[in-house]
Amino acid sequence: MTMILPRRDFLTGATASALLASVPARARTPTHNCVMIGDWGRQGQYEQGRLAARMGRVAAEHRSLYTVSVGDNFYDDGVQSITDRQWITSFESIYSAESLKTPWRVILGNHDYRGKVEPQLRYGQQVDSRWYLPARYYSMRDILPDGSTAETFFLDTSPFISRYRGTNVDISGQDTAAQVAWLDAALGASDARWKIVIGHHPVYTAERRFDEPELIAALVPVMKRHGVHVYINGHIHNLQYIERDGIHYINNGAGSRIDPVAPAQDGGIVFPGEHGFMTVALSRDVFQFRFIGLDGRSLLSKDINSFS
């Protein structure tokens, strides 16, 4: 059974004051900032290294407080132990900028399930404290500079995908009904201004061909019932955006190898041939995200307004 740790409040009290005090008064911003990346762990190949350098520069300019990984942290077959060489060759030596030595909030992808999951759950406690993966699914609550709140729910989506059963993506023993019940209860109990869900696999996509019916069935009713604003994922190796029934779906899977894309449908947006990551600037009323390409260009900037 998955152990769920208590929610944690970040950037409160002295911690928030210390962080804000380190920023010149004229440069202070009323937003809560982070960077996010997905599908990255390829020992620097497929432009992972160059993109990591770009992300480090952007994270510094953005005053990023932490990094979110939306899964597929190590290719092709995860890691085998906390001393696996990929911790160095795909993570520590790649994301070496000071701006990326802040906490990493991490989830698991299907390629992580092709290796051993337990080392990823233990790495932050035993080796590198910036790696934060306390359980296969968990939530975190943040206090924004204006005193409003955001709560992010980090999911473990691989066990929902039935085509993995009996393959080397070892999802055996994972209880998806328990995970949905936890999400339903946690979202229902949350009084956060913003409710954000992050999973490795997409729910809806701009290309439609990558929609995941099992996640649509399991997650969409729960997210709609509890007023989730944004769902962020990886898995599809490009950058996409689409809005469906009031929920904004952001695909952020271009951290290393990128794949061909089909034309966007239903008003969605797809960026073919672009390596990239995303920045988030969150305030009481606006969730602003940007897709940033390998050359530093802003490919898309979008403001999502909170519900009144």
Side-chain angles (χ1 to χ4, degrees):
M1 178 178 294
T2 299
M3 178 180 70
I4 306 302
L5 300 189
R7 299 183 309 185
R8 305 196 338 180
D9 284 357
F10 275 67
L11 302 182
T12 58
T15 302
S17 298
L19 281 168
L20 290 174
S22 67
V23 180
R26 67 180 182 277
R28 290 182 185 174
T29 171
T31 57
H32 177 90
N33 299 342
C34 67
V35 294
M36 301 188 181
I37 192 167
D39 302 77
W40 45 268
R42 295 185 185 271
Q43 304 187 66
Q45 299 178 358
Y46 295 96
E47 304 290 8
Q48 183 200 0
R50 288 182 60 205
L51 188 66
R54 175 65 65 186
M55 189 167 77
R57 292 191 289 272
V58 171
E61 296 167 359
H62 189 54
R63 291 180 171 82
S64 174
L65 298 169
Y66 54 87
T67 299
V68 174
S69 169
V70 301
D72 275 4
N73 308 315
F74 301 99
Y75 287 94
D76 282 321
D77 298 316
V79 292
Q80 297 300 311
S81 70
I82 60 171
T83 59
D84 192 304
R85 66 186 298 271
Q86 289 187 89
W87 288 108
I88 302 299
T89 59
S90 286
F91 178 56
E92 292 187 17
S93 68
I94 301 296
Y95 302 102
S96 57
E98 288 300 316
S99 61
L100 301 179
K101 291 183 179 179
T102 55
W104 279 57
R105 303 177 180 185
V106 180
I107 62 172
L108 299 165
N110 52 295
H111 281 271
D112 301 307
Y113 266 98
R114 290 172 61 161
K116 295 180 180 177
V117 168
E118 284 301 319
Q120 293 203 43
L121 295 172
R122 293 189 288 114
Y123 193 75
Q125 299 172 8
Q126 298 183 13
V127 181
D128 187 339
S129 61
R130 67 172 159 162
W131 185 269
Y132 187 75
L133 178 58
R136 294 175 196 247
Y137 50 92
Y138 59 100
S139 69
M140 299 187 77
R141 184 180 178 92
D142 291 295
I143 308 300
L144 309 189
D146 61 12
S148 58
T149 55
E151 191 158 5
T152 305
F153 302 83
F154 297 85
L155 302 186
D156 181 22
T157 57
S158 294
F160 290 89
I161 310 301
S162 60
R163 63 180 177 271
Y164 294 148
R165 294 173 190 153
T167 72
N168 59 355
V169 180
D170 186 8
I171 58 171
S172 59
Q174 301 309 307
D175 187 343
T176 55
Q179 187 173 171
V180 171
W182 167 81
L183 180 64
D184 193 17
L187 282 169
S190 177
D191 63 354
R193 173 79 172 183
W194 289 95
K195 296 179 182 180
I196 300 160
V197 177
I198 298 179
H200 177 64
H201 292 80
V203 176
Y204 291 111
T205 65
E207 295 180 78
R208 294 292 297 274
R209 60 179 176 153
F210 292 123
D211 290 3
E212 288 285 1
E214 290 166 307
L215 290 180
I216 292 171
L219 301 182
V220 169
V222 176
M223 293 194 297
K224 290 176 69 174
R225 180 160 60 248
H226 296 297
V228 168
H229 304 90
V230 178
Y231 179 90
I232 303 168
N233 64 274
H235 189 63
I236 309 305
H237 294 175
N238 53 55
L239 303 170
Q240 304 188 24
Y241 165 78
I242 193 169
E243 185 269 332
R244 295 288 296 271
D245 299 325
I247 300 176
H248 300 264
Y249 295 92
I250 305 170
N251 181 82
N252 178 38
S256 56
R257 195 192 76 191
I258 53 176
D259 292 338
V261 298
Q265 300 183 47
D266 301 330
I269 302 171
V270 179
F271 292 91
E274 295 280 2
H275 296 85
F277 58 94
M278 60 186 283
T279 65
V280 172
L282 185 59
S283 64
R284 174 183 173 84
D285 296 316
V286 178
F287 177 106
Q288 181 192 69
F289 78 92
R290 292 189 300 153
F291 285 145
I292 306 296
L294 184 60
D295 61 2
R297 287 180 301 124
S298 178
L299 305 173
L300 174 67
S301 180
K302 184 168 181 62
D303 290 355
I304 297 170
N305 296 316
S306 64
F307 299 125
S308 58

